[in-house]
Amino acid sequence: MTQATAKSMPSASTMEAPVAPRRNLNRGKLGMACLICSEITFFGTLLATYLFYIGRDISGPYPQDVLDISVAPMKVVFNSIFLLTSSIWIVLAVKALRKGRIKTFACWWLLTILFGVEFLVGTGMEWYGLIVDDGLTIRTNLFGSGFYTVVGFHAGHVCCGLILLTIIFILTLCGYMHKRHTHKVDMLSWYWHFVDGIWIAVFTIVYILGTA
Amino acid sequence: MTTDELHPRPSEPQGIELPAPSSSPFTCAFGVTLIAAGLVTQWIVTIIGAMIMLIGAIGWFKEVHPDDREETIPFEEGPAAITARNQKVLRLMQGTRHRQRVPAEIHPYSAGLWGGIIAGIVMAVVATIGSLIEHGSLWYACNLLSATILIGVESQTAEQLAQFNSTSLIVAITIQVVMSIFIGLIYGAVLPMIPRFQLLFAAAFVPLLWTGLTWATISVINPTLQANIDWLWFIGAQITFGLVAGWWIIHTEKIDTMQNWSYLERTGMESPGIPSQGGEES
Amino acid sequence: MTILEKPKQTLHTKDPNASFLSYMHQWIATSDHKKLGVMYVTTGLLFFLIGGLEAAMMRWQLAWSGMDVVGPEEFNRLFTMHGTTMVFLVGMPILLGVANYLVPLMIGARDLAFPRLNAFGFWLFFFGGLLLYFSYFGAQGLYGMGSAPDVGWFAYAPLTERTFSRGHSTDYWILGIGISGFGSIATGINLITTILTMRCPGMSLMKMPLFVWLMFIDAILIMIAMPPLTAAQIMLLFDRWLGAHFFDTQGGGSAVLWQNLFWFFGHPEVYILILPAFAYVSEIIPVFSRKVIFGYPLMVAATIAIGFISLGVWVHHMFALGLSPMVNAIFMGSTMLIAVPTGIKMFNWIATLYGGRIRFQTPMLFSLGFLTQFLLGGLTGIMLAVVPFDWQVSDSYFVVGHFHYVLFGGLVFSIFAAIYYWMPKVTGRMLSETLGKWHFWLLFIGFNLTFGPMHVSGMLGMPRRIYTYHPDRGWELWNLLSSIGVLFQIAAILFFTYNVLNSLFKGKKAGDDPWDAWTLEWETTSPPPEYNFPEIPTVHSRRPLWDKKHPEDPDWKYE
Ligand code: HEM
Ligand SMILES: [Cu+2]
């Protein structure tokens, strides 16, 4: 092998073996997607447990008596609508930020927070009713254990989300948020969508399947 | 955050920007642990833990907002240039085929198939001769083989084992055919990979290994069967099989593996303009 | 590129004037993946010594019938802490640490995607481990003494319920493992993101080193399989503290559910532990055979298949439970199925060895030890997958033999291979070959002497987790052999420890590329600078350094 070939090879290699194009995957969003994946298996486990215990209680109160949508709280449906629509507001908020309209962003963002808070308050009221009126606590029976764990963890996630949203809101008020933070805010919105999505699963299993 | 940040421009004169060190993750993790520890010790620990975690979280937040805090690492002496070692690269094959996978030539599968079948027949004959000599019966070995599947046969007496039994015959023939073809195919695939003494491998190494394994474990697997086996004839039959199958396979003509064929050739398509087998490298 | 005048960095960047405190601060505040990797592995090795000590105590107790080294309660704590330590505080941190150190180097990046999260993950693991061990002092046991968890590493319900496990020992198990589990999930997510977004130019997925592929699938398994454990642990915690009834059989709860949830995590977990072993030997065997790995695409496919199938076999740990024959049959089938991709890997490693110019240096010796021992462990695994056979030996020493062949003979041997192979990169100094060979052969003999006879004592009916046994069972010889093996292993570990310490201070200088290897980590200096590569490399094939060393015959023409 001569020096010349040795020198020419690398350049030949760059020519013939083209470098694979780099795709613009965003780190933060991908990380969030992974986090959501593991959260899904976490909730999946809780929900599987809940499903497993449906109908196995030998003493009440039973879900049919206290949760059935036709029996008692239309409130739950009402609450759910609040939570689910908040997803729309956060999309609009991110859109506004992407365009650099900070004020519009702040408005939609606040609306998201308010809707989220409404949901939490609703859950709190529901729990109050269950505990005080129906006498259902986590120690009462399997239903109680499962219900408070599943719904509680979901509410906990809503709570976390709200804290983060509020921090962003405060930062916005102080003028710290800019267009270039769209990625980070968008990441947070994914989390919020996920919390919504999980609620759909929880609702289906706890309020529809569980009361059938 | 864009992907370009991941690979900072190499030509920066000062050095390279990396995330600045921060003790916040440490603080935060410590706080989390204290929160948990408080649950099993004193609630006050949980409170302190929560406070520590909060401090950590705030510190962490400041690291990344509004922008990641970074520090510049000055360049150090770079790595030595990469050169080939002062060694020659040994090639299994020269020329354009030096990148081939070995073995480049193998026996056709049919060699293994036929080798197995023929060896299976010869082996059956040897085993039957053994039965004749030792027990004066054509069926002893056959019955014994069937006992690996049939329940109850293994506990028969030697006289019973010498009797003809049609079920045993069918089972034994099935076992013999399946196993012979199976081992024959394996031999066909493995033998071309043995660099030297292929016949020794086929006729001594494998039979001895198999006999040894059987001998060592049969007392656990099937102790009643064990009592009826003549080990000398057992190993004789094994070696016969290995010898015949090995000899047959080794003496068939080798063919090229298809690794140099193009995809079209491998699918068996023929049309003008497709290079002939093994001609071109992809 | 400018080269500034600055003393060459060593592993411990230590300014003689700096105080001890600022030196510590450097480690505590770091988010450098290499420092964190070193911290992970060091902590893991320390826990390995502790876990090993616990095992040695158990073997001493079992060496002969009727021994009285430790009592039954202490014995329960020993096997619980041993198992928990080895899985969660040795296996996990070492695999995460090695991945931490090497993945960015191998894909030509400067760090992981989230460096601070990485530090957070490490510290969670670290403090979680400390919390677990604090139970020896902190947990109020039945008699008011401190006591460690004693419910076995899989903590079967309902023995973990308040009624049966008084005091806080089980809570320590839940919290310690839970916290370090969060750390593992964080680091798993970090690895996935890093591998998907930070590869250097030219490194498409199919040009990544196999190591990176395996750690990628491993991280995905961590991401999917760890949260169910956390969820199950939280439910258990609610049972214990809030009076919920999930696993409380008296209140309608189900012990079977716990088993399902635990093993749904537990089986993927054992594959989480073994995939890194595959990763190490998949790098080492080619380099020491001087051949490219055989069947790269098939290796990748097998890895993915293992990842998938391992999520669907967990019931094989519950064959003796009395589930329906249908369920048993299905999971017997899926368990057998997983042996197929594992077998493919075996054959590909052997095919890589075949025709190679094998160099029997210490990393290679340990890799070959891995191959043989993992093969045996895999074979006993397939035996256990056969339901009727499993009914005979389930919960016996045969199972103990099986999983030590895969975990010790497989994972630990490959970890040693990795340490001998990559430590020159980490510290810039070689480990001694002579001491390494002593280490290998003593460990090889000791390991097989300890765990080989366990298959026999298991078949003779010796149940696992008994603290002593009657003299009339015929188990004594086998147990004695097992215990004698431990002495060899202790000797081996002493050789290893001395070798490492000696190499740190007096080892031969390694240079950038001591093994004449082919992946990117050998392109930079040993130890690498904080920024890894002065210039981000561009690759064209799976063996970028081969291409540079042999420009006349580059790999990319053939891939
Ligand atoms: C060929 C692949 C494998 C098969 C078919 C297999 C099969 C099995 C079966 C059926 C059991 C349950 C035995 C019983 O409790 O009755 C078992 C236990 C176990 N296996 Fe495997 N295994 C395989 C590979 C592995 C690997 C690669 C590892 C880890 C690196 C591993 C680690 C374990 C552990 C730790 C246990 C015992 C768990 C316990 O009861 O504490 N196995 N294996
Ligand atoms: Cu398993």
Side-chain angles (χ1 to χ4, degrees):
Chain A
M1 175 194 75
T2 63
Q3 199 60 31
T5 45
K7 281 251 172 67
S8 68
M9 282 318 280
S11 60
S13 70
T14 20
M15 254 165 43
E16 290 173 47
V19 178
R22 227 181 311 148
R23 249 159 291 125
N24 240 18
L25 268 175
N26 178 272
R27 271 192 287 180
K29 281 189 190 165
L30 190 64
M32 181 53 81
C34 292
L35 178 70
I36 289 173
C37 278
S38 28
E39 291 270 23
I40 286 175
T41 59
F42 179 85
F43 275 101
T45 311
L46 295 182
L47 287 172
T49 306
Y50 191 88
L51 273 174
F52 180 79
Y53 283 136
I54 285 177
R56 293 200 180 207
D57 266 321
I58 39 172
S59 65
Y62 302 105
Q64 296 89 306
D65 307 330
V66 293
L67 288 192
D68 202 276
I69 309 178
S70 54
V71 178
M74 268 314 281
K75 274 181 283 175
V76 184
V77 180
F78 187 68
N79 272 332
S80 309
I81 293 173
F82 263 89
L83 185 67
L84 296 185
T85 39
S86 73
S87 254
I88 304 177
W89 314 140
I90 203 168
V91 171
L92 295 175
V94 175
K95 252 191 183 158
L97 186 64
R98 188 168 291 134
K99 292 195 187 122
R101 298 202 207 116
I102 305 295
K103 282 219 178 91
T104 329
F105 164 73
C107 286
W108 289 125
W109 200 255
L110 182 63
L111 201 61
T112 315
I113 296 177
L114 290 179
F115 271 52
V117 170
E118 198 286 337
F119 174 81
L120 267 192
V121 173
T123 307
M125 278 162 45
E126 190 196 0
W127 282 28
Y128 182 83
L130 286 173
I131 295 170
V132 175
D133 303 338
D134 302 316
L136 179 77
T137 67
I138 196 166
R139 355 173 53 125
T140 312
N141 54 12
L142 288 171
F143 163 54
S145 304
F147 176 81
Y148 287 109
T149 307
V150 170
V151 178
F153 265 102
H154 179 263
H157 279 72
V158 176
C159 222
C160 277
L162 282 176
I163 292 173
L164 293 174
L165 293 184
T166 313
I167 293 174
I168 299 282
F169 186 67
I170 293 171
L171 288 175
T172 318
L173 292 187
C174 302
Y176 284 126
M177 295 305 290
H178 300 285
K179 199 174 155 184
R180 69 191 146 98
H181 295 121
T182 311
H183 271 312
K184 287 181 184 174
V185 170
D186 204 14
M187 207 168 102
L188 204 56
S189 82
W190 283 23
Y191 178 80
W192 194 251
H193 295 321
F194 152 74
V195 172
D196 274 10
I198 285 292
W199 180 250
I200 295 176
V202 172
F203 188 85
T204 316
I205 288 176
V206 174
Y207 291 92
I208 298 177
L209 289 179
T211 56
Chain B
M1 213 183 330
T2 64
T3 23
D4 271 347
E5 273 172 44
L6 317 181
H7 305 293
R9 294 121 301 230
S11 50
E12 269 172 44
Q14 288 310 308
I16 286 167
E17 286 188 351
L18 287 176
S22 149
S23 55
S24 298
F26 170 86
T27 317
C28 211
F30 186 56
V32 171
T33 314
L34 281 191
I35 292 178
L39 300 176
V40 280
T41 46
Q42 292 286 323
W43 58 269
I44 189 79
V45 180
T46 300
I47 308 278
I48 295 174
M51 277 165 14
I52 293 182
M53 189 187 87
L54 206 63
I55 295 172
I58 293 171
W60 195 338
F61 189 75
K62 283 191 185 153
E63 293 285 327
V64 292
H65 201 91
D67 290 295
D68 284 12
R69 210 162 61 79
E70 296 192 322
E71 65 173 7
T72 306
I73 311 285
F75 280 120
E76 295 164 17
E77 198 183 321
I82 291 163
T83 47
R85 291 294 161 96
N86 220 359
Q87 310 166 330
K88 242 186 95 187
V89 178
L90 287 174
R91 298 263 150 83
L92 284 164
M93 263 164 285
Q94 294 301 325
T96 50
R97 307 178 75 187
H98 73 270
R99 285 277 185 154
Q100 273 198 327
R101 259 177 268 132
V102 283
E105 288 187 327
I106 54 170
H107 299 292
Y109 296 140
S110 61
L113 187 71
W114 284 112
I117 291 176
I118 295 169
I121 294 171
V122 180
M123 177 182 174
V125 171
V126 171
T128 311
I129 294 174
S131 307
L132 266 178
I133 295 174
E134 297 284 332
H135 301 276
S137 152
L138 279 174
W139 310 112
Y140 188 84
C142 166
N143 285 335
L144 217 53
L145 180 57
S146 75
T148 52
I149 289 188
L150 292 181
I151 296 168
V153 178
E154 75 278 6
S155 48
Q156 289 174 346
T157 62
E159 288 80 58
Q160 282 171 311
L161 282 174
Q163 304 291 313
F164 171 75
N165 180 325
S166 56
T167 325
S168 284
L169 182 66
I170 293 169
V171 170
I173 287 178
T174 317
I175 296 176
Q176 181 73 1
V177 168
V178 171
M179 292 303 288
S180 298
I181 292 178
F182 182 61
I183 309 272
L185 286 173
I186 290 183
Y187 267 25
V190 170
L191 284 185
M193 298 203 280
I194 309 289
R196 263 158 295 161
F197 311 124
Q198 296 176 353
L199 202 57
L200 201 67
F201 178 85
F205 181 72
V206 175
L208 283 177
L209 197 69
W210 177 242
T211 309
L213 204 67
T214 318
W215 183 80
T217 55
I218 194 142
S219 64
V220 181
I221 295 169
N222 202 337
T224 34
L225 184 63
Q226 179 192 22
N228 291 316
I229 299 179
D230 301 312
W231 287 104
L232 221 57
W233 282 102
F234 185 95
I235 197 163
Q238 301 287 334
I239 288 179
T240 314
F241 180 93
L243 206 61
V244 176
W247 192 89
W248 179 273
I249 291 165
I250 290 169
H251 285 82
T252 50
E253 204 169 326
K254 284 191 175 179
I255 57 168
D256 205 18
T257 57
M258 293 194 278
Q259 55 185 314
N260 294 321
W261 296 15
S262 72
Y263 178 70
L264 282 179
E265 285 165 346
R266 267 181 277 169
T267 55
M269 292 222 227
E270 278 178 40
S271 89
I274 295 180
S276 60
Q277 295 175 355
E280 221 88 14
E281 226 167 319
S282 52
Chain C
M1 186 191 72
T2 4
I3 296 165
L4 299 186
E5 287 301 318
K6 189 190 170 218
K8 184 138 167 42
Q9 182 188 10
T10 58
L11 177 63
H12 321 273
T13 326
K14 199 168 178 182
D15 176 355
N17 306 322
S19 67
F20 176 72
L21 220 66
S22 72
Y23 174 68
M24 285 306 287
H25 184 263
Q26 218 181 60
W27 287 92
I28 286 175
T30 189
S31 57
D32 176 21
H33 71 101
K34 296 181 290 301
K35 282 212 175 83
L36 286 166
V38 171
M39 275 149 59
Y40 261 125
V41 176
T42 316
T43 325
L45 287 176
L46 289 178
F47 276 122
F48 179 70
L49 292 184
I50 297 175
L53 222 59
E54 286 155 356
M57 294 279 281
M58 284 189 284
R59 276 315 331 158
W60 187 5
Q61 162 71 20
L62 289 174
W64 201 253
S65 65
M67 297 271 283
D68 198 17
V69 180
V70 294
E73 294 91 1
E74 187 50 36
F75 193 86
N76 289 356
R77 283 175 215 137
L78 282 178
F79 71 65
T80 304
M81 291 300 273
H82 167 75
T84 310
T85 305
M86 288 301 185
V87 170
F88 295 101
L89 307 181
V90 178
M92 294 302 284
I94 292 185
L95 78 89
L96 291 176
V98 178
N100 235 297
Y101 199 100
L102 289 173
V103 165
L105 283 171
M106 282 192 177
I107 62 174
R110 300 212 190 278
D111 207 325
L112 288 183
F114 311 110
R116 295 175 192 87
L117 183 67
N118 193 17
F120 183 59
F122 168 76
W123 290 111
L124 278 182
F125 145 72
F126 183 80
F127 289 126
L130 288 191
L131 185 61
L132 179 68
Y133 267 90
F134 183 69
S135 65
Y136 263 114
F137 316 102
Q140 290 296 303
L142 191 54
Y143 306 109
M145 305 180 296
S147 74
D150 54 1
V151 286
W153 86 280
F154 46 57
Y156 269 5
L159 292 182
T160 44
E161 291 290 318
R162 251 263 177 292
T163 330
F164 305 108
S165 173
R166 304 246 136 212
H168 281 313
S169 63
T170 303
D171 300 326
Y172 274 96
W173 181 83
I174 296 173
L175 294 172
I177 298 311
I179 288 178
S180 67
F182 276 121
S184 307
I185 297 173
T187 310
I189 290 175
N190 216 335
L191 283 173
I192 297 175
T193 314
T194 309
I195 293 171
L196 284 183
T197 61
M198 301 182 62
R199 277 167 287 129
C200 67
M203 187 172 284
S204 61
L205 283 177
M206 286 311 270
K207 293 217 187 305
M208 295 195 304
L210 269 183
F211 179 97
V212 181
W213 255 111
L214 277 146
M215 292 318 301
F216 179 52
I217 302 296
D218 206 45
I220 292 180
L221 277 182
I222 292 177
M223 176 181 85
I224 295 177
M226 298 289 291
L229 174 71
T230 311
Q233 285 184 321
I234 287 175
M235 288 189 259
L236 180 59
L237 213 57
F238 283 3
D239 273 12
R240 290 176 60 82
W241 288 357
L242 305 179
H245 303 289
F246 291 110
F247 311 115
D248 163 22
T249 43
Q250 289 144 316
S254 165
V256 176
L257 182 70
W258 170 267
Q259 299 194 13
N260 271 295
L261 296 184
F262 185 87
W263 290 119
F264 181 74
F265 148 80
H267 186 85
E269 169 68 17
V270 304
Y271 272 87
I272 289 170
L273 291 172
I274 204 67
L275 287 184
F278 295 173
Y280 309 155
V281 297
S282 294
E283 292 303 320
I284 294 171
I285 288 179
V287 168
F288 288 83
S289 310
R290 314 306 303 154
K291 276 179 71 196
V292 18
I293 186 93
F294 184 89
Y296 175 97
L298 207 59
M299 287 296 249
V300 172
T303 309
I304 297 172
I306 287 177
F308 268 112
I309 304 174
S310 73
L311 291 168
V313 301
W314 75 93
V315 172
H316 67 219
H317 295 276
M318 300 148 63
F319 280 156
L321 191 64
L323 299 169
S324 80
M326 193 60 188
V327 173
N328 281 351
I330 290 172
F331 280 91
M332 174 167 141
S334 64
T335 305
M336 298 243 170
L337 200 63
I338 205 167
V340 175
T342 315
I344 290 177
K345 283 183 170 295
M346 249 7 247
F347 280 117
N348 280 1
W349 288 320
I350 295 171
T352 309
L353 291 169
Y354 177 72
R357 296 194 68 80
I358 299 178
R359 301 190 304 204
F360 288 99
Q361 280 154 305
T362 315
M364 186 60 163
L365 285 181
F366 274 102
S367 301
L368 295 176
F370 163 89
L371 281 191
T372 36
Q373 285 154 182
F374 179 73
L375 175 67
L376 290 173
L379 289 178
T380 51
I382 296 174
M383 292 164 77
L384 287 170
V386 182
V387 177
F389 183 82
D390 183 80
W391 284 349
Q392 289 296 318
V393 295
S394 185
D395 233 347
S396 79
Y397 262 82
F398 190 88
V399 176
V400 180
H402 157 67
F403 66 72
H404 281 92
Y405 263 80
V406 279
L407 284 174
F408 194 153
L411 175 63
V412 174
F413 269 65
S414 77
I415 286 176
F416 283 129
I419 289 177
Y420 280 92
Y421 181 61
W422 279 297
M423 218 172 112
K425 177 54 58 182
V426 177
T427 64
R429 289 171 186 275
M430 306 294 287
L431 288 154
S432 149
E433 272 294 312
T434 324
L435 293 174
K437 292 209 161 105
W438 274 96
H439 171 202
F440 171 76
W441 285 110
L442 282 170
L443 197 65
F444 185 79
I445 294 170
F447 165 77
N448 285 290
L449 195 55
T450 298
F451 296 103
M454 285 188 186
H455 296 103
V456 184
S457 49
M459 294 233 243
L460 292 178
M462 178 166 168
R464 65 195 279 204
R465 293 179 174 169
I466 52 173
Y467 85 103
T468 190
Y469 47 92
H470 281 294
D472 56 359
R473 301 291 168 90
W475 300 339
E476 275 142 322
L477 172 67
W478 307 108
N479 276 288
L480 186 64
L481 286 178
S482 288
S483 297
I484 291 174
V486 174
L487 298 178
F488 285 84
Q489 298 186 45
I490 291 175
I493 298 303
L494 289 179
F495 269 99
F496 171 68
T497 316
Y498 177 73
N499 198 355
V500 168
L501 295 179
N502 190 49
S503 135
L504 279 182
F505 301 106
K506 296 205 222 120
K508 202 173 82 195
K509 285 269 190 302
D512 297 350
D513 178 18
W515 309 112
D516 195 4
W518 303 309
T519 34
L520 280 180
E521 76 268 29
W522 305 106
E523 184 172 318
T524 184
T525 47
S526 318
E530 225 172 305
Y531 46 79
N532 291 351
F533 303 96
E535 213 172 317
I536 294 297
T538 302
V539 303
H540 306 289
S541 79
R542 289 169 202 144
R543 300 194 299 168
L545 261 65
W546 169 276
D547 291 355
K548 291 197 179 169
K549 290 172 186 171
H550 304 276
E552 78 287 358
D553 182 28
D555 262 10
W556 52 261
K557 282 193 177 169
Y558 303 93
E559 275 173 7

